[in-house]
Amino acid sequence: MASLVIHDLHVSIGDRPIIKNLSLTVNSGEVHAIMGPNGTGKSTLAKVIAGHPDYTVTGGDVLLDGRSVLEQEADERARAGLFLAFQYPSEIPGVSIANFLRAAVQARLPEGEEIDATAYYKRLYAKMDLLKIERKFTSRAVNEGFSGGEKKRCEILQMAMLEPKMAVMDETDSGLDIDALRIVSDGVNALRGPGLGVLMITHYQRLLNHIVPDFVHVMYDGRIVKSGDKSLALDLESRGYDWVKQELAALPA
Ligand code: ADP
Ligand code: MG
């Protein structure tokens, strides 16, 4: 079984601490949602797990199956089984999705091993059927002129082909319209299972009506201040975040 362990994590941007002592464990087979008001550091967490250079880890660790990923390059993290949804390249004119995905799958094979084209297309088509994606979609150039929904479809298909152990998805800033929301949630629901752990970061409770999480965490001011099951997401929808802040304020310092 795979695990993603975030342990006492502290992250700064420049001199400014953004994440302050955050701990969280995601096991394969589980879907965790992190919610929280704007500016609490949710995207920062996703970017640190992805290895974004702007963020400095000043304490703690992020471990995949017991090994720290913090010193690993992005491709090493991917090879170890980590998938980061927002890492998707913006636009690659002239490169079809089919060829792009093939290169991504090839890059994860051990040195010297070649993809078998027949097996690759068989697997690609099986995943496209699973995700209800039309065949002609993969002949389009990566993200060129794509709608928000098509970008998400491309991202989910990439995730399906890479078969990660852990997927970290930041759906906060992407301005998910109804179409994109449905594609992400149907995709995650089709791919979720015992071999996959998901850390779904979102600002919208709405997404969690479609992807029912096993655990919900509230992030506030750089740390997780409350964890629960899916009912916590409903509480947040009806009551907002203020009650969480009030509860925190009432705690002894
Ligand atoms: P969230 O995703 O929860 O809305 P972010 O992680 O995007 O929050 O941001 C947390 C805080 O860090 C915010 O105050 C934001 O302005 C700041 N921040 C995020 N990224 C950068 C950056 N690259 N440079 C400077 N400040 C940043
Ligand atoms: Mg964000």
Side-chain angles (χ1 to χ4, degrees), residues 13 16 18 37-45 54-55 172-173:
I13 302 172
R16 196 173 141 216
I18 306 288
N38 270 328
T40 52
K42 301 184 299 298
S43 296
T44 300
L45 176 65
D54 286 358
Y55 303 84
T172 306
D173 321 305

Side-chain angles (χ1 to χ4, degrees), residues 9-206:
L9 189 68
H10 292 256
V11 178
S12 292
I13 302 172
D15 298 335
R16 196 173 141 216
I18 306 288
I19 293 179
K20 304 156 185 172
N21 203 4
L22 188 147
S23 295
L24 179 67
T25 297
V26 180
N27 294 307
S28 45
E30 298 173 352
V31 175
H32 290 243
I34 295 188
M35 305 182 72
N38 270 328
T40 52
K42 301 184 299 298
S43 296
T44 300
L45 176 65
K47 286 176 184 160
V48 164
I49 298 172
H52 194 291
D54 286 358
Y55 303 84
T56 313
V57 174
T58 55
D61 211 343
V62 177
L63 306 129
L64 181 65
D65 293 339
R67 281 194 58 189
S68 178
V69 303
L70 293 180
E71 298 301 319
Q72 292 178 346
E73 298 294 330
D75 65 321
E76 283 179 84
R77 296 178 201 219
R79 214 169 286 141
L82 205 50
F83 179 82
L84 301 137
F86 56 89
Q87 234 189 3
Y88 200 80
S90 12
E91 257 185 45
I92 322 182
V95 176
S96 72
I97 294 174
N99 282 332
F100 173 77
L101 290 176
R102 188 170 161 165
V105 172
Q106 174 72 56
R108 288 196 48 190
L109 293 180
E111 198 76 31
E113 212 175 290
E114 270 298 313
I115 276 186
D116 174 78
T118 314
Y120 166 75
Y121 276 101
K122 199 174 161 205
R123 206 160 72 78
L124 176 64
Y125 291 150
K127 299 290 187 188
M128 290 171 76
D129 290 346
L130 174 73
L131 298 169
K132 301 190 176 69
I133 296 174
E134 288 177 49
R135 290 288 148 87
K136 64 177 188 227
F137 182 65
T138 49
S139 53
R140 293 185 58 185
V142 176
N143 281 344
E144 207 177 6
F146 277 17
S147 68
E150 286 166 338
K151 282 186 182 164
K152 288 291 153 188
R153 189 169 283 135
C154 194
E155 187 176 273
I156 293 285
L157 181 58
Q158 191 190 2
M159 178 168 147
M161 287 304 284
L162 292 177
E163 298 181 345
K165 296 181 203 169
M166 285 290 156
V168 178
M169 314 180 75
D170 185 357
E171 301 300 348
T172 306
D173 321 305
S174 43
L176 291 184
D177 59 22
I178 297 288
D179 189 36
L181 189 86
R182 192 181 47 75
I183 289 160
V184 170
S185 46
D186 288 354
V188 169
N189 287 331
L191 299 177
R192 74 192 282 184
L196 175 68
V198 177
L199 182 58
M200 172 69 66
I201 297 171
T202 182
H203 190 70
Y204 301 110
Q205 199 279 332
R206 217 169 44 150

